[in-house]
Amino acid sequence: MNKLFFELGRYILFVRSMFFKPERFKVFFERTIHEMNNIGVGSIGIVTIISVFVGAVTTLQTAYQLVSPLIPMKVIGTIVSDSSLLEFAPTITCLVLAGKVGANIASEVGNMRVTEQIDALEVMGINSSGFLGLPKIIAGVIMIPCLIIVANFLMISGGILAARLTDLMSPNEFIQGARETFKMFTVTVSMTKSLVFAFIITSMSTYEGYFTEGGALEVGEAGTRAVTRSCVLILFADFIIAKLML
Amino acid sequence: MIELVNVNKSFADKQVLFDINAKFEPGIPNLIIGASGGGKSVLLKCMVGLFKPESGSINYDGRDFVHLPYEQVREVRREIGMLFQGTALFDSLTVEENVDFPLKMFGKMTPEERKDRINFCLSRVGLENANKKYPAEISGGMKKRVGIARAIALETRYLFCDEPNSGLDPITSRRIDELLHDITNEFKITTVINSHDMKTVYDIGESITFIYQGKIWWQGHRNELDATRAHNPELNAFIAASQF
Ligand SMILES: Nc1ncnc2c1ncn2[C@@H]1O[C@H](COP(=O)(O)OP(=O)(O)OP(=O)(O)O)[C@@H](O)[C@H]1O
Ligand SMILES: [Mg+2]
Protein backbone atom coordinates (compact mmCIF):
# COMPACT_ATOMS: atom_id res chain seq x y z
CA MET A 1 0.00 0.00 0.00
CA ASN A 2 2.85 2.34 0.90
CA LYS A 3 4.52 1.45 -2.35
CA LEU A 4 1.38 2.27 -4.30
CA PHE A 5 1.22 5.77 -2.86
CA PHE A 6 4.94 6.22 -3.35
CA GLU A 7 4.67 5.27 -7.02
CA LEU A 8 1.56 7.33 -7.56
CA GLY A 9 3.14 10.41 -6.03
CA ARG A 10 6.35 9.95 -7.95
CA TYR A 11 4.38 9.49 -11.18
CA ILE A 12 2.43 12.70 -10.65
CA LEU A 13 5.57 14.67 -9.79
CA PHE A 14 7.30 13.19 -12.80
CA VAL A 15 4.50 14.20 -15.14
CA ARG A 16 4.51 17.68 -13.66
CA SER A 17 8.27 18.01 -14.06
CA MET A 18 7.92 17.35 -17.77
CA PHE A 19 5.93 20.48 -18.43
CA PHE A 20 8.79 22.93 -18.58
CA LYS A 21 9.58 25.40 -21.27
CA PRO A 22 11.67 23.51 -23.81
CA GLU A 23 15.33 24.52 -24.08
CA ARG A 24 15.39 24.99 -27.82
CA PHE A 25 12.12 25.03 -29.66
CA LYS A 26 13.65 23.79 -32.88
CA VAL A 27 15.19 20.73 -31.25
CA PHE A 28 11.95 20.08 -29.41
CA PHE A 29 9.95 20.30 -32.63
CA GLU A 30 12.30 17.92 -34.44
CA ARG A 31 12.06 15.39 -31.65
CA THR A 32 8.27 15.60 -31.63
CA ILE A 33 8.08 14.97 -35.37
CA HIS A 34 10.47 12.07 -34.98
CA GLU A 35 8.32 10.56 -32.24
CA MET A 36 5.14 11.11 -34.26
CA ASN A 37 6.69 9.08 -36.99
CA ASN A 38 7.73 6.34 -34.56
CA ILE A 39 4.46 6.13 -32.70
CA GLY A 40 2.00 6.90 -35.46
CA VAL A 41 3.36 5.76 -38.79
CA GLY A 42 5.18 2.86 -37.15
CA SER A 43 1.94 1.42 -35.77
CA ILE A 44 -0.29 1.59 -38.85
CA GLY A 45 0.42 -2.01 -39.85
CA ILE A 46 -0.58 -3.59 -36.56
CA VAL A 47 -3.60 -1.31 -36.17
CA THR A 48 -4.84 -2.28 -39.63
CA ILE A 49 -4.60 -6.01 -39.00
CA ILE A 50 -6.26 -5.83 -35.60
CA SER A 51 -9.09 -3.56 -36.68
CA VAL A 52 -10.10 -5.51 -39.75
CA PHE A 53 -10.18 -8.78 -37.83
CA VAL A 54 -11.94 -7.42 -34.77
CA GLY A 55 -14.61 -5.89 -37.03
CA ALA A 56 -15.05 -9.09 -38.99
CA VAL A 57 -15.21 -11.33 -35.94
CA THR A 58 -17.65 -9.07 -34.10
CA THR A 59 -19.95 -9.17 -37.11
CA LEU A 60 -19.90 -12.96 -37.34
CA GLN A 61 -20.41 -13.46 -33.62
CA THR A 62 -23.21 -10.93 -33.39
CA ALA A 63 -24.92 -12.67 -36.28
CA TYR A 64 -24.49 -15.99 -34.51
CA GLN A 65 -26.18 -14.65 -31.37
CA LEU A 66 -29.06 -12.96 -33.21
CA VAL A 67 -30.62 -15.93 -34.96
CA SER A 68 -34.20 -14.77 -35.03
CA PRO A 69 -36.30 -14.06 -38.11
CA LEU A 70 -37.94 -11.18 -36.21
CA ILE A 71 -34.76 -9.11 -36.06
CA PRO A 72 -33.67 -7.51 -39.31
CA MET A 73 -30.09 -8.19 -40.35
CA LYS A 74 -29.18 -4.53 -40.49
CA VAL A 75 -29.28 -4.43 -36.66
CA ILE A 76 -25.96 -6.24 -36.81
CA GLY A 77 -24.58 -3.20 -38.62
CA THR A 78 -25.85 -0.98 -35.81
CA ILE A 79 -24.35 -3.14 -33.11
CA VAL A 80 -21.00 -3.61 -34.79
CA SER A 81 -20.47 0.05 -35.65
CA ASP A 82 -21.60 1.31 -32.25
CA SER A 83 -19.50 -1.10 -30.27
CA SER A 84 -16.51 -0.46 -32.50
CA LEU A 85 -16.75 3.27 -32.04
CA LEU A 86 -17.46 3.14 -28.35
CA GLU A 87 -15.26 0.36 -27.11
CA PHE A 88 -13.34 -1.84 -29.50
CA ALA A 89 -11.52 0.73 -31.58
CA PRO A 90 -10.18 2.88 -28.75
CA THR A 91 -9.73 0.22 -26.09
CA ILE A 92 -8.47 -2.81 -27.95
CA THR A 93 -6.25 -0.74 -30.20
CA CYS A 94 -4.77 1.13 -27.25
CA LEU A 95 -4.18 -2.08 -25.32
CA VAL A 96 -2.18 -3.34 -28.26
CA LEU A 97 -0.41 -0.01 -28.65
CA ALA A 98 0.48 -0.16 -24.96
CA GLY A 99 2.34 -3.35 -25.83
CA LYS A 100 4.03 -1.98 -28.90
CA VAL A 101 4.64 1.70 -28.20
CA GLY A 102 4.83 1.37 -24.41
CA ALA A 103 7.47 -1.35 -24.33
CA ASN A 104 9.43 0.53 -26.96
CA ILE A 105 9.45 3.81 -25.05
CA ALA A 106 10.19 2.19 -21.68
CA SER A 107 13.16 0.25 -22.98
CA GLU A 108 14.54 3.24 -24.88
CA VAL A 109 14.34 5.53 -21.86
CA GLY A 110 15.40 2.77 -19.47
CA ASN A 111 18.47 2.09 -21.54
CA MET A 112 19.34 5.78 -21.49
CA ARG A 113 19.02 5.70 -17.71
CA VAL A 114 21.26 2.70 -17.07
CA THR A 115 23.93 3.90 -19.51
CA GLU A 116 23.96 7.30 -17.74
CA GLN A 117 22.73 9.19 -20.81
CA ILE A 118 20.03 10.78 -18.68
CA ASP A 119 22.70 11.86 -16.17
CA ALA A 120 24.64 13.33 -19.08
CA LEU A 121 21.60 15.41 -20.05
CA GLU A 122 21.19 16.60 -16.47
CA VAL A 123 24.85 17.56 -16.16
CA MET A 124 24.47 19.69 -19.26
CA GLY A 125 21.66 21.52 -17.49
CA ILE A 126 18.81 20.03 -19.51
CA ASN A 127 15.49 19.11 -17.91
CA SER A 128 15.80 15.44 -18.87
CA SER A 129 12.24 14.36 -18.11
CA GLY A 130 10.82 17.13 -20.26
CA PHE A 131 13.40 16.68 -22.97
CA LEU A 132 12.68 12.96 -23.29
CA GLY A 133 9.07 12.70 -22.22
CA LEU A 134 7.22 15.72 -23.53
CA PRO A 135 7.83 15.05 -27.26
CA LYS A 136 6.63 11.49 -26.73
CA ILE A 137 3.47 12.58 -24.94
CA ILE A 138 2.63 15.24 -27.50
CA ALA A 139 3.34 12.86 -30.36
CA GLY A 140 1.18 10.18 -28.73
CA VAL A 141 -1.70 12.51 -27.99
CA ILE A 142 -1.72 13.67 -31.61
CA MET A 143 -1.05 10.40 -33.40
CA ILE A 144 -2.94 7.79 -31.34
CA PRO A 145 -6.34 9.48 -31.86
CA CYS A 146 -5.53 9.53 -35.58
CA LEU A 147 -4.82 5.81 -35.42
CA ILE A 148 -8.12 5.29 -33.62
CA ILE A 149 -9.99 7.11 -36.39
CA VAL A 150 -8.37 4.76 -38.88
CA ALA A 151 -9.21 1.82 -36.62
CA ASN A 152 -12.86 2.90 -36.45
CA PHE A 153 -13.07 3.02 -40.20
CA LEU A 154 -11.31 -0.31 -40.65
CA MET A 155 -13.39 -2.14 -38.06
CA ILE A 156 -16.61 -1.15 -39.77
CA SER A 157 -15.05 -2.04 -43.12
CA GLY A 158 -14.00 -5.39 -41.71
CA GLY A 159 -17.57 -5.94 -40.56
CA ILE A 160 -18.98 -5.08 -43.96
CA LEU A 161 -16.46 -7.34 -45.62
CA ALA A 162 -17.26 -10.27 -43.34
CA ALA A 163 -20.99 -9.79 -43.82
CA ARG A 164 -20.51 -9.72 -47.57
CA LEU A 165 -18.18 -12.72 -47.74
CA THR A 166 -20.42 -14.93 -45.63
CA ASP A 167 -23.57 -13.77 -47.41
CA LEU A 168 -25.10 -12.38 -44.23
CA MET A 169 -26.27 -9.19 -45.90
CA SER A 170 -25.26 -6.65 -48.47
CA PRO A 171 -22.91 -3.76 -47.64
CA ASN A 172 -25.82 -1.36 -48.14
CA GLU A 173 -27.90 -3.04 -45.48
CA PHE A 174 -24.98 -2.97 -43.06
CA ILE A 175 -24.32 0.73 -43.67
CA GLN A 176 -28.01 1.53 -43.37
CA GLY A 177 -28.03 -0.16 -39.98
CA ALA A 178 -24.95 1.74 -38.92
CA ARG A 179 -26.36 5.07 -40.00
CA GLU A 180 -29.87 4.85 -38.66
CA THR A 181 -28.90 5.09 -35.02
CA PHE A 182 -25.65 6.96 -35.45
CA LYS A 183 -25.06 9.67 -32.85
CA MET A 184 -22.17 12.11 -33.14
CA PHE A 185 -21.68 11.79 -29.41
CA THR A 186 -20.30 8.25 -29.87
CA VAL A 187 -17.41 9.75 -31.79
CA THR A 188 -16.80 12.26 -29.02
CA VAL A 189 -16.58 9.44 -26.51
CA SER A 190 -14.29 7.50 -28.80
CA MET A 191 -11.94 10.46 -29.20
CA THR A 192 -11.98 11.28 -25.50
CA LYS A 193 -10.97 7.73 -24.73
CA SER A 194 -8.18 7.72 -27.25
CA LEU A 195 -6.77 11.01 -25.95
CA VAL A 196 -6.76 9.75 -22.38
CA PHE A 197 -5.31 6.37 -23.33
CA ALA A 198 -2.62 8.01 -25.43
CA PHE A 199 -1.56 10.08 -22.46
CA ILE A 200 -1.53 7.02 -20.21
CA ILE A 201 0.57 4.93 -22.57
CA THR A 202 3.22 7.55 -23.28
CA SER A 203 3.55 9.01 -19.80
CA MET A 204 3.46 5.67 -17.99
CA SER A 205 6.10 4.08 -20.17
CA THR A 206 8.39 7.11 -20.02
CA TYR A 207 7.98 7.03 -16.25
CA GLU A 208 8.84 3.34 -15.98
CA GLY A 209 11.90 3.78 -18.17
CA TYR A 210 13.03 6.93 -16.41
CA PHE A 211 13.16 5.30 -12.98
CA THR A 212 14.89 2.11 -14.05
CA GLU A 213 17.68 1.11 -11.71
CA GLY A 214 20.32 -1.44 -12.51
CA GLY A 215 21.20 -2.93 -15.87
CA ALA A 216 19.90 -4.67 -18.97
CA LEU A 217 17.73 -7.05 -16.96
CA GLU A 218 15.92 -4.21 -15.23
CA VAL A 219 15.40 -2.44 -18.55
CA GLY A 220 13.50 -5.52 -19.70
CA GLU A 221 11.48 -5.53 -16.51
CA ALA A 222 10.69 -1.85 -16.93
CA GLY A 223 9.33 -2.64 -20.38
CA THR A 224 7.06 -5.34 -19.01
CA ARG A 225 5.90 -3.17 -16.14
CA ALA A 226 5.17 -0.29 -18.48
CA VAL A 227 2.89 -2.54 -20.55
CA THR A 228 1.01 -4.15 -17.67
CA ARG A 229 0.52 -0.89 -15.80
CA SER A 230 -0.59 0.99 -18.89
CA CYS A 231 -3.09 -1.77 -19.65
CA VAL A 232 -4.55 -1.73 -16.16
CA LEU A 233 -4.76 2.07 -16.18
CA ILE A 234 -6.39 2.05 -19.61
CA LEU A 235 -9.10 -0.37 -18.49
CA PHE A 236 -9.65 1.63 -15.33
CA ALA A 237 -9.90 4.91 -17.26
CA ASP A 238 -12.18 3.20 -19.77
CA PHE A 239 -14.60 2.38 -17.01
CA ILE A 240 -14.50 5.89 -15.56
CA ILE A 241 -15.05 7.55 -18.93
CA ALA A 242 -17.94 5.23 -19.73
CA LYS A 243 -19.51 6.00 -16.38
CA LEU A 244 -19.03 9.75 -16.69
CA MET A 245 -19.97 10.27 -20.31
CA LEU A 246 -22.68 7.73 -21.07
CA MET B 1 38.68 26.80 -8.75
CA ILE B 2 36.32 24.39 -7.07
CA GLU B 3 36.17 24.25 -3.31
CA LEU B 4 34.33 21.66 -1.21
CA VAL B 5 33.45 22.47 2.38
CA ASN B 6 32.23 19.83 4.83
CA VAL B 7 30.36 17.76 2.26
CA ASN B 8 28.41 14.80 3.67
CA LYS B 9 26.46 12.30 1.64
CA SER B 10 24.58 9.17 2.62
CA PHE B 11 22.22 6.71 0.96
CA ALA B 12 19.36 5.48 3.10
CA ASP B 13 21.17 4.76 6.38
CA LYS B 14 24.62 4.28 4.89
CA GLN B 15 26.95 7.27 4.93
CA VAL B 16 29.27 7.30 1.93
CA LEU B 17 31.07 10.65 2.20
CA PHE B 18 32.28 12.09 5.52
CA ASP B 19 33.08 15.80 5.88
CA ILE B 20 34.84 16.26 2.58
CA ASN B 21 37.02 19.38 2.37
CA ALA B 22 39.02 19.81 -0.78
CA LYS B 23 40.25 22.33 -3.35
CA PHE B 24 40.72 21.81 -7.07
CA GLU B 25 42.82 24.30 -9.03
CA PRO B 26 42.45 25.33 -12.68
CA GLY B 27 45.04 24.48 -15.32
CA ILE B 28 46.33 21.30 -13.69
CA PRO B 29 44.84 17.80 -13.58
CA ASN B 30 43.40 17.21 -10.11
CA LEU B 31 43.32 13.50 -9.40
CA ILE B 32 41.08 11.72 -6.95
CA ILE B 33 42.42 8.27 -6.15
CA GLY B 34 41.21 5.52 -3.90
CA ALA B 35 40.05 1.93 -3.81
CA SER B 36 36.87 0.71 -5.42
CA GLY B 37 33.81 1.58 -3.34
CA GLY B 38 35.62 4.40 -1.57
CA GLY B 39 33.15 6.97 -2.82
CA LYS B 40 34.98 8.57 -5.76
CA SER B 41 32.08 8.37 -8.18
CA VAL B 42 29.65 9.56 -5.54
CA LEU B 43 31.89 12.55 -4.80
CA LEU B 44 32.09 13.43 -8.48
CA LYS B 45 28.33 13.11 -8.88
CA CYS B 46 27.79 15.37 -5.87
CA MET B 47 30.09 17.93 -7.43
CA VAL B 48 28.15 18.03 -10.73
CA GLY B 49 24.82 18.01 -8.92
CA LEU B 50 23.54 14.54 -9.78
CA PHE B 51 23.41 13.78 -6.06
CA LYS B 52 22.52 16.37 -3.49
CA PRO B 53 24.73 16.27 -0.40
CA GLU B 54 22.95 16.46 2.98
CA SER B 55 25.24 19.19 4.18
CA GLY B 56 28.19 21.24 3.08
CA SER B 57 28.80 23.47 0.11
CA ILE B 58 30.44 23.13 -3.28
CA ASN B 59 31.82 26.40 -4.60
CA TYR B 60 32.49 27.01 -8.27
CA ASP B 61 34.68 30.10 -8.23
CA GLY B 62 32.65 31.42 -5.34
CA ARG B 63 29.23 30.27 -6.53
CA ASP B 64 27.73 27.87 -4.03
CA PHE B 65 26.34 25.20 -6.31
CA VAL B 66 24.34 23.36 -3.65
CA HIS B 67 22.36 26.37 -2.49
CA LEU B 68 21.87 28.34 -5.70
CA PRO B 69 18.37 28.63 -7.19
CA TYR B 70 17.71 26.17 -10.01
CA GLU B 71 18.08 28.71 -12.82
CA GLN B 72 21.57 29.67 -11.69
CA VAL B 73 22.50 26.04 -11.16
CA ARG B 74 21.78 25.52 -14.82
CA GLU B 75 24.03 28.44 -15.70
CA VAL B 76 26.88 26.78 -13.83
CA ARG B 77 26.10 23.45 -15.44
CA ARG B 78 26.60 24.91 -18.86
CA GLU B 79 30.22 25.50 -17.89
CA ILE B 80 30.59 21.88 -16.80
CA GLY B 81 31.69 19.03 -19.03
CA MET B 82 31.69 15.45 -17.86
CA LEU B 83 33.17 12.25 -19.16
CA PHE B 84 31.24 9.37 -17.62
CA GLN B 85 32.65 6.04 -16.55
CA GLY B 86 30.70 4.38 -19.36
CA THR B 87 31.02 7.43 -21.69
CA ALA B 88 27.20 7.94 -21.83
CA LEU B 89 27.22 8.91 -25.49
CA PHE B 90 23.75 9.26 -26.98
CA ASP B 91 23.51 6.07 -28.97
CA SER B 92 20.81 7.31 -31.32
CA LEU B 93 23.14 10.08 -32.52
CA THR B 94 26.28 9.88 -34.64
CA VAL B 95 29.68 10.94 -33.36
CA GLU B 96 29.38 14.46 -34.77
CA GLU B 97 25.79 14.82 -33.60
CA ASN B 98 26.92 13.87 -30.11
CA VAL B 99 29.51 16.63 -30.12
CA ASP B 100 27.01 18.98 -31.74
CA PHE B 101 24.39 18.27 -29.09
CA PRO B 102 25.45 20.81 -26.44
CA LEU B 103 26.19 23.37 -29.16
CA LYS B 104 22.75 22.94 -30.63
CA MET B 105 21.06 23.13 -27.24
CA PHE B 106 22.95 26.06 -25.75
CA GLY B 107 25.35 27.58 -28.25
CA LYS B 108 24.64 30.77 -30.13
CA MET B 109 26.49 29.70 -33.25
CA THR B 110 25.38 29.48 -36.86
CA PRO B 111 25.33 25.99 -38.41
CA GLU B 112 28.66 26.70 -40.17
CA GLU B 113 30.33 27.83 -36.98
CA ARG B 114 29.02 24.74 -35.24
CA LYS B 115 30.43 22.55 -37.98
CA ASP B 116 33.83 24.18 -37.51
CA ARG B 117 33.65 23.79 -33.76
CA ILE B 118 32.72 20.09 -34.06
CA ASN B 119 35.61 19.45 -36.39
CA PHE B 120 37.95 21.40 -34.15
CA CYS B 121 36.92 19.41 -31.07
CA LEU B 122 37.09 16.08 -32.84
CA SER B 123 40.50 16.80 -34.31
CA ARG B 124 41.68 18.07 -30.93
CA VAL B 125 40.97 14.62 -29.46
CA GLY B 126 42.50 12.94 -32.50
CA LEU B 127 39.37 11.61 -34.15
CA GLU B 128 39.09 12.76 -37.74
CA ASN B 129 37.41 10.00 -39.67
CA ALA B 130 34.51 8.86 -37.57
CA ASN B 131 32.07 11.77 -37.88
CA LYS B 132 29.22 9.74 -39.35
CA LYS B 133 29.65 6.61 -37.22
CA TYR B 134 27.34 5.64 -34.38
CA PRO B 135 28.72 4.96 -30.87
CA ALA B 136 27.99 1.24 -31.28
CA GLU B 137 30.34 1.18 -34.27
CA ILE B 138 33.46 2.59 -32.63
CA SER B 139 35.95 1.20 -30.09
CA GLY B 140 36.06 1.95 -26.37
CA GLY B 141 39.02 4.29 -26.72
CA MET B 142 37.31 6.20 -29.51
CA LYS B 143 34.16 6.52 -27.42
CA LYS B 144 36.18 8.10 -24.60
CA ARG B 145 37.58 10.58 -27.11
CA VAL B 146 34.13 11.46 -28.37
CA GLY B 147 33.04 11.84 -24.74
CA ILE B 148 35.88 14.28 -24.15
CA ALA B 149 35.10 16.17 -27.35
CA ARG B 150 31.47 16.50 -26.28
CA ALA B 151 32.52 17.64 -22.82
CA ILE B 152 34.69 20.45 -24.17
CA ALA B 153 32.40 21.46 -27.05
CA LEU B 154 31.02 24.49 -25.24
CA GLU B 155 33.67 26.70 -23.67
CA THR B 156 33.96 24.38 -20.70
CA ARG B 157 35.50 25.74 -17.51
CA TYR B 158 35.17 22.62 -15.39
CA LEU B 159 35.85 19.13 -16.66
CA PHE B 160 35.05 15.97 -14.70
CA CYS B 161 36.26 12.55 -15.75
CA ASP B 162 35.15 9.37 -14.04
CA GLU B 163 37.87 6.81 -14.69
CA PRO B 164 38.80 8.00 -18.15
CA ASN B 165 41.00 5.00 -18.83
CA SER B 166 39.15 2.11 -17.27
CA GLY B 167 38.82 -0.72 -19.75
CA LEU B 168 41.47 0.65 -22.10
CA ASP B 169 44.79 -0.88 -23.10
CA PRO B 170 47.94 0.74 -21.61
CA ILE B 171 48.87 2.61 -24.77
CA THR B 172 45.43 4.11 -25.32
CA SER B 173 45.25 4.93 -21.60
CA ARG B 174 48.42 6.98 -21.82
CA ARG B 175 47.10 8.83 -24.86
CA ILE B 176 43.88 9.71 -23.07
CA ASP B 177 45.91 10.85 -20.04
CA GLU B 178 48.08 13.08 -22.19
CA LEU B 179 45.05 14.44 -23.98
CA LEU B 180 43.37 15.37 -20.70
CA HIS B 181 46.57 16.93 -19.43
CA ASP B 182 47.07 19.00 -22.58
CA ILE B 183 43.47 20.16 -22.82
CA THR B 184 43.50 21.19 -19.18
CA ASN B 185 46.63 23.23 -19.72
CA GLU B 186 45.62 24.71 -23.03
CA PHE B 187 42.18 25.95 -22.00
CA LYS B 188 42.96 26.52 -18.30
CA ILE B 189 40.13 24.23 -17.27
CA THR B 190 39.59 23.00 -13.73
CA THR B 191 39.85 19.28 -14.35
CA VAL B 192 38.95 16.66 -11.77
CA ILE B 193 39.77 13.07 -12.64
CA ASN B 194 38.78 9.93 -10.74
CA SER B 195 41.26 7.19 -11.15
CA HIS B 196 42.71 4.09 -9.59
CA ASP B 197 45.50 3.90 -12.11
CA MET B 198 48.78 4.85 -10.41
CA LYS B 199 50.47 5.25 -13.77
CA THR B 200 48.11 8.14 -14.47
CA VAL B 201 48.97 9.64 -11.11
CA TYR B 202 52.72 9.61 -11.76
CA ASP B 203 52.34 10.70 -15.39
CA ILE B 204 49.95 13.62 -15.27
CA GLY B 205 48.78 14.01 -11.68
CA GLU B 206 49.67 17.25 -9.95
CA SER B 207 47.23 17.74 -7.12
CA ILE B 208 46.34 14.36 -5.64
CA THR B 209 43.39 13.62 -3.36
CA PHE B 210 43.36 10.21 -1.73
CA ILE B 211 39.98 9.01 -0.56
CA TYR B 212 39.75 6.17 1.91
CA GLN B 213 36.36 4.84 3.05
CA GLY B 214 34.58 8.04 2.25
CA LYS B 215 37.07 10.36 3.94
CA ILE B 216 39.79 12.57 2.53
CA TRP B 217 42.80 10.71 3.79
CA TRP B 218 45.45 12.89 2.20
CA GLN B 219 45.66 15.76 -0.27
CA GLY B 220 48.88 17.07 -1.72
CA HIS B 221 51.22 17.27 -4.68
CA ARG B 222 52.49 14.24 -6.57
CA ASN B 223 56.05 15.01 -5.52
CA GLU B 224 55.07 14.56 -1.90
CA LEU B 225 53.57 11.11 -2.51
CA ASP B 226 56.72 9.15 -1.86
CA ALA B 227 57.52 10.99 1.33
CA THR B 228 53.95 10.60 2.61
CA ARG B 229 53.76 6.87 1.87
CA ALA B 230 56.24 6.09 4.60
CA HIS B 231 53.94 7.20 7.38
CA ASN B 232 50.53 6.68 5.74
CA PRO B 233 49.87 2.92 5.67
CA GLU B 234 46.54 3.15 3.78
CA LEU B 235 48.07 5.27 1.03
CA ASN B 236 51.10 3.03 0.96
CA ALA B 237 48.95 -0.08 0.60
CA PHE B 238 47.06 1.50 -2.28
CA ILE B 239 50.21 2.50 -4.13
CA ALA B 240 52.03 -0.72 -3.37
CA ALA B 241 49.13 -2.78 -4.71
CA SER B 242 49.66 -1.21 -8.11
CA GLN B 243 53.39 -2.09 -7.89
CA PHE B 244 54.90 1.33 -7.69
N1 LIG C 1 22.83 5.34 -5.97
C1 LIG C 1 23.35 4.74 -4.88
N2 LIG C 1 22.53 4.28 -3.93
C2 LIG C 1 23.03 3.69 -2.82
N3 LIG C 1 24.34 3.50 -2.59
C3 LIG C 1 25.21 3.93 -3.51
C4 LIG C 1 24.77 4.58 -4.72
N4 LIG C 1 25.85 4.91 -5.44
C5 LIG C 1 26.91 4.49 -4.73
N5 LIG C 1 26.55 3.91 -3.56
C6 LIG C 1 27.46 3.37 -2.55
O1 LIG C 1 28.48 4.31 -2.32
C7 LIG C 1 29.72 3.65 -2.13
C8 LIG C 1 30.77 4.32 -2.99
O2 LIG C 1 30.52 4.04 -4.35
P1 LIG C 1 31.31 4.70 -5.53
O3 LIG C 1 30.63 4.30 -6.79
O4 LIG C 1 31.49 6.14 -5.27
O5 LIG C 1 32.72 4.00 -5.47
P2 LIG C 1 33.98 4.32 -6.36
O6 LIG C 1 35.03 4.81 -5.45
O7 LIG C 1 33.62 5.16 -7.50
O8 LIG C 1 34.38 2.88 -6.87
P3 LIG C 1 34.90 2.43 -8.32
O9 LIG C 1 36.34 2.72 -8.31
O10 LIG C 1 34.63 0.97 -8.34
O11 LIG C 1 34.13 3.17 -9.34
C9 LIG C 1 29.51 2.20 -2.44
O12 LIG C 1 29.53 1.50 -1.23
C10 LIG C 1 28.15 2.12 -3.05
O13 LIG C 1 27.48 0.98 -2.61
MG1 LIG D 1 33.38 4.86 -9.68
Side-chain angles (χ1 to χ4, degrees), chain A residues 108-171:
Chain A
E108 179 196 328
V109 178
N111 183 51
M112 291 187 75
R113 165 61 76 195
V114 301
T115 56
E116 295 180 313
Q117 293 175 50
I118 293 185
D119 289 344
L121 287 173
E122 284 292 332
V123 170
M124 290 178 197
I126 293 169
N127 168 20
S128 59
S129 56
F131 180 81
L132 293 172
L134 201 53
K136 293 186 199 300
I137 293 189
I138 293 180
V141 166
I142 295 174
M143 292 313 279
I144 291 181
C146 294
L147 287 172
I148 303 302
I149 293 173
V150 173
N152 276 324
F153 172 77
L154 289 174
M155 275 190 192
I156 295 174
S157 309
I160 294 175
L161 196 68
R164 178 80 200 75
L165 290 180
T166 55
D167 285 327
L168 270 175
M169 63 184 133
S170 71

Side-chain angles (χ1 to χ4, degrees), chain A residues 20-21 23-24 26-27 30-31 111-112 115-127 131, chain B residues 45 48 50 70 74 77-78 80 82 84-86 88-91 101-107 150:
Chain A
F20 253 99
K21 191 168 147 287
E23 230 63 58
R24 270 284 149 97
K26 185 159 166 290
V27 178
E30 280 171 12
R31 290 186 59 83
N111 183 51
M112 291 187 75
T115 56
E116 295 180 313
Q117 293 175 50
I118 293 185
D119 289 344
L121 287 173
E122 284 292 332
V123 170
M124 290 178 197
I126 293 169
N127 168 20
F131 180 81
Chain B
K45 287 184 175 174
V48 298
L50 288 171
Y70 185 65
R74 297 212 311 192
R77 279 183 170 178
R78 267 156 227 180
I80 295 179
M82 180 154 180
F84 284 84
Q85 203 160 351
L89 297 180
F90 301 120
D91 41 33
F101 187 85
L103 299 174
K104 204 169 164 185
M105 291 302 285
F106 303 115
R150 182 177 71 180

